[in-house]
Each structure stands twice: as C-alpha cells, then as structure tokens.
C-alpha cells in the first residue's frame, strides 16, 4: 500500500521513533544505504527481510561495520512457553547438571514438532498452531517464484527431501533418491545446487559442516555440508501431517527431532548476544560412527550431543560418544582437551540422568532453557 510513496521518497520510511523497524527492506535496497547514512547511533534502525539479497550495494559493503547482521530464527521451546526450565544452558556448558524426575511424552513432542516455532502460533491451540506452521512454510516457499523466478514444485521437493533426511547425507545421490521417493523427477546436479542456494537465501535451510576432528586418519572423516530445515515443522508442513501421522513414522520423527534440537542449539551459540558463542557441526567417519552434533565453542572447548526418541536408545547412543572419545584419545599429539560436557537429548523421558558410559547428561528437550 505504501511502497509507491516510499519509492518516490525513501526518507519517509526512516521517519519514526528509534529504534525504527523497516520490514522487507529488500523490496527497496537503497533504503539500507540511507539507514547507514542517517543513523545517529547504534540501534537507530532495524531492517528485516525474509530472504538474503543476492547482491549488496558497494556503499553498503564499504560501511558494513556500522551495522550488525543477525540471523533471525523461529522461537525456541522456552520462548514458546513450553519449557519446564529444569536445565539451564549456561549450567550444562559449565558442567553443572542435576538428575531428577521429569515428564515428556512422545505425543507431546509430536505436537510441538508439528506446531514449530512460528511466532504467529504462540498462544494458539495445537491444531491452529499446526495450520499456522503450514501457512508460514507455504508463504516462504512461494518466494522461490516471486523473488527468484524459479519453480516452486522443484524447490518444494528439494526442501521436503532435506527435511525428511535431516542429519543424513545431502549430496546429490542421497537427495536424488529421496526426491524420487516423493514421486518427483530429481533435478540435475547443477540445478540442485541452484535450488539449495535459493533455499539458503530464503532462510529455509541451515548448512551444517562436518567436524574435521583430530583423529589419526583425517581422510576417513566426512566434512561435506549437510542441510537441515530451519524449523522442525517444515517436513510435517510440506506433507500436511499431524501429530498422529508422525507417531506412525519413526524415521521421520527422528529427523524432525534432530531439526528441533539443532534449532535450539543454534539459537544459543549462533547469535551476537550469545554468552556461549560457537558453531554447530556433525561428526561422521568411514567406520560408520555418527555423532549428531558437535558444538565447537569460540573459547576452544567442545561438546558432543546425540538426539534420541526415548530412554531405550540412551545406552547405544552413549556407546557412540564413547567410541569418539577413544578415537580422539588414540591421537596423543592432537592436543584436544576433554569435552566441556556431553549430552543425549530425548524426545520422551520420565527422568533426567547422568549416564556413565560417556559421562553424558540425559534429559528431554523440553527441560532446556
């Protein structure tokens, strides 16, 4: 409604009390240059967009130090109001953890996954929140056509394949296989790369690198990026699934739960305001050892994290983490220190425990805050 007015006089968009929010500034890129020119102090303007522009004005690049780029993500479980707040993030990073009774049923986790972390769903009933998630994902994917002039069905198939296999290989053969299972003709390697780039610029997928761990045979460590959806509801939204559908599909449930945990981790370490800044990787090697996530903190510390549906999987999960410790210990000259902590995060549980095999904190996802 106001775009023609702002196009005629962009200064109008900057009028208002600071901090002044400018939504979808990428519809008029010159606005960002004006913001850099006219900002009197840090925080004068907040410009947001639902996608990352392909190019930036040379003035913007030259004066980028005057602004801070923040990757916005959907809400955490705590922000949604669903955390029991029994496990403080700062505590476990410092090695503090208290076992005890808790409660999280798999059915509840399934409903949380289908609702996702979309702000429009806050305070809504489960079914309304699920429908809100579907609308949010649909609105985002439509930008493939409106912004990037590409095919929405192809992008939808690629996004669904990524969400369905969260945490698994996302190279061309792996994604091709999953796309074929959707009944869609898979794109070529070049076309797939193009759509992955678009989905990243639309902030619909997260890129996670493999950890180049200091073990003896580095050639056996896999480091190529894997992709995850930005929100745990993406897979169920693309397929229009409800919680009961998820309860009948263990592999899909596991993939969605991994996406949920990754989102919680990224919101705590990948932020300018984070007290524990760092990055999230995965670990995989040719011996078949897989660790879902490795946190690499900026202070040089690290932490392995696995994700499981329930308490029955804790022992096998702990043994995988212990195998990683053994591999690292075999390289005496690596200089790597013991992990800050180790965790196994569950989708259902009746207790928090301190597992002994890998010295891991075990707790359900909804205990974290």
């Amino acid at each position: 409604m106001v775009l023609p007015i702002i196009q005629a006089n962009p200064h109008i968009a900057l009028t208002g009390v600071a901090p002044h929010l400018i939504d979808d500034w990428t519809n008029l890129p010159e606005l960002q240059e004006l913001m850099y020119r006219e900002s009197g102090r840090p925080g004068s303007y907040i410009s947001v967009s639902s996608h990352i522009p392909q190019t930036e004005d040379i003035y913007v690049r030259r004066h980028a130090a005057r602004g801070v780029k923040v990757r916005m993500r959907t809400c955490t479980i705590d922000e949604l109001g669903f955390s029991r707040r029994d496990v403080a993030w700062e505590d476990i990073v410092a090695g503090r953890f208290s076992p005890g009774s808790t409660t999280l049923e798999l059915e509840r986790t399934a409903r949380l996954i289908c609702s996702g972390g979309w702000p429009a769903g806050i305070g809504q009933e489960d079914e309304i929140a699920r429908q809100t998630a579907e609308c949010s994902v649909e609105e985002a994917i439509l930008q493939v056509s409106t912004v990037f002039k590409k095919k929405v069905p192809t992008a939808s198939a690629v996004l669904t394949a990524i969400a369905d296999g969260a945490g698994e290989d996302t190279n061309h053969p792996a994604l091709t296989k999953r796309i074929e299972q959707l009944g869609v003709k898979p794109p070529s390697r070049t076309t797939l790369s193009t759509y992955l780039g678009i989905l990243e610029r639309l902030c619909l997928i997260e890129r996670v690198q493999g950890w180049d761990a200091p073990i003896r045979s580095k050639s056996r460590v896999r480091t190529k990026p894997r992709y995850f959806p930005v929100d745990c509801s993406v897979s169920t939204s693309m397929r229009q699934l409800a919680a009961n559908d998820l309860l009948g599909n263990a592999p899909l449930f596991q993939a969605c739960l991994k996406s949920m945990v990754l989102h919680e981790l990224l919101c705590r370490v990948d932020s300018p305001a984070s007290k524990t800044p760092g990055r999230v990787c995965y670990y995989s090697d040719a011996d078949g050892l897989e660790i879902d996530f490795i946190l690499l903190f900026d202070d040089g510390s690290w932490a392995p994290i696995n994700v499981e549906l329930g308490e029955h999987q804790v022992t096998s999960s702990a043994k995988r983490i212990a195998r990683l410790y053994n591999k690292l210990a075999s390289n005496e000259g690596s200089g790597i220190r013991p992990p800050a902590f180790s965790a196994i995060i569950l989708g259902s549980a009746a207790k928090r425990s301190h597992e002994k095999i890998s010295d891991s904190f075990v707790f359900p996802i909804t205990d974290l805050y």
Side-chain angles (χ1 to χ4, degrees), residues 223-249:
T223 59
K224 290 185 178 179
R226 293 179 179 179
Y227 293 94
F228 290 74
V230 295
D231 189 87
C232 57
S233 67
V234 169
S235 184
T236 55
S237 293
M238 296 298 292
R239 292 174 171 273
Q240 296 185 313
L241 301 178
N244 286 339
D245 300 311
L246 202 56
L247 289 168
N249 189 331

Side-chain angles (χ1 to χ4, degrees), residues 46 81 84 96 101 115 131 147 163 176 179 184 223 240 247 258 279 296 306 313 330 339 355 362 366:
I46 302 173
R84 288 173 51 93
R96 298 187 296 268
S101 61
S115 298
Q131 293 175 13
V147 176
T176 292
I179 291 172
V184 178
T223 59
Q240 296 185 313
L247 289 168
K258 286 182 182 180
R279 59 193 178 97
L296 301 177
N306 271 340
Q313 290 79 44
S330 66
E355 186 280 323
V362 182
T366 51

Side-chain angles (χ1 to χ4, degrees), residues 10-282:
H11 288 271
I12 293 176
L14 305 184
T15 304
V17 178
H20 187 63
L21 177 68
I22 300 167
D23 193 14
D24 275 333
W25 65 269
T26 47
N27 290 328
L28 199 63
E30 56 266 35
L31 275 177
Q32 192 173 40
E33 179 176 334
L34 288 175
M35 281 185 279
Y36 281 128
R37 289 183 185 275
E38 299 192 8
S39 60
R41 59 181 177 80
S44 298
Y45 300 107
I46 302 173
S47 57
V48 298
S49 174
S50 57
H51 69 273
I52 302 171
Q54 293 179 281
T55 59
E56 285 185 312
D57 183 89
I58 188 171
Y59 179 91
V60 172
R61 294 198 301 270
R62 190 178 300 146
H63 294 82
R66 297 189 63 188
V68 176
K69 290 184 178 179
V70 179
R71 171 68 182 269
M72 301 296 291
R73 295 184 169 90
T74 55
C75 300
T76 64
I77 291 174
D78 188 39
E79 290 170 332
L80 292 169
F82 297 134
S83 171
R84 288 173 51 93
R85 299 181 64 83
D86 287 328
V87 179
W89 175 251
E90 290 79 8
D91 283 347
I92 62 172
V93 172
R96 298 187 296 268
F97 180 77
S98 298
S101 61
T102 185
T103 177
L104 176 61
E105 296 179 349
L106 213 53
E107 293 82 357
R108 180 56 177 156
T109 304
R111 293 196 297 272
L112 291 175
I113 286 173
C114 291
S115 298
W118 306 97
I122 294 178
Q124 303 287 350
E125 297 291 335
D126 289 337
E127 179 58 21
I128 300 299
R130 184 187 70 82
Q131 293 175 13
T132 298
E134 288 185 4
C135 291
S136 299
V137 175
E138 180 182 8
E139 183 178 347
I141 200 72
L142 286 177
Q143 292 184 88
V144 170
S145 172
T146 58
V147 176
F148 296 96
K149 312 304 179 185
K150 294 294 183 179
K151 297 178 180 178
V152 171
T154 302
S156 297
V158 174
L159 180 58
T160 303
I162 289 171
D164 286 358
E168 300 178 8
D169 284 336
T170 48
N171 52 32
H172 183 257
L175 282 178
T176 292
K177 181 178 180 180
R178 290 201 287 272
I179 291 172
E180 287 176 339
Q181 291 172 347
L182 298 172
V184 178
K185 181 180 178 181
S188 67
R189 188 180 299 272
T190 301
T191 301
L192 177 62
S193 179
T194 297
Y195 277 91
L196 287 174
I198 290 173
L199 292 173
E200 277 197 275
R201 289 198 293 274
L202 286 174
C203 302
L204 281 170
I205 58 176
E206 301 273 9
R207 181 199 297 249
V208 177
Q209 295 287 149
W211 182 33
D212 189 10
I215 64 173
R216 284 187 173 179
S217 180
K218 286 191 175 183
S219 63
R220 299 181 66 81
V221 177
R222 294 167 177 156
T223 59
K224 290 185 178 179
R226 293 179 179 179
Y227 293 94
F228 290 74
V230 295
D231 189 87
C232 57
S233 67
V234 169
S235 184
T236 55
S237 293
M238 296 298 292
R239 292 174 171 273
Q240 296 185 313
L241 301 178
N244 286 339
D245 300 311
L246 202 56
L247 289 168
N249 189 331
L252 184 60
F253 202 144
Q254 179 80 6
C256 292
L257 184 60
K258 286 182 182 180
S259 297
M260 176 184 276
V261 172
L262 173 64
H263 174 270
E264 296 288 318
L265 298 176
L266 287 172
C267 286
R268 286 164 173 81
V269 303
D270 185 26
S271 165
S274 175
K275 296 180 181 179
T276 56
R279 59 193 178 97
V280 183
C281 300
Y282 70 89

Side-chain angles (χ1 to χ4, degrees), residues 272-294:
S274 175
K275 296 180 181 179
T276 56
R279 59 193 178 97
V280 183
C281 300
Y282 70 89
Y283 178 84
S284 177
D285 63 31
D287 294 330
L289 178 58
E290 299 267 346
I291 304 297
D292 293 326
F293 302 116
I294 302 290

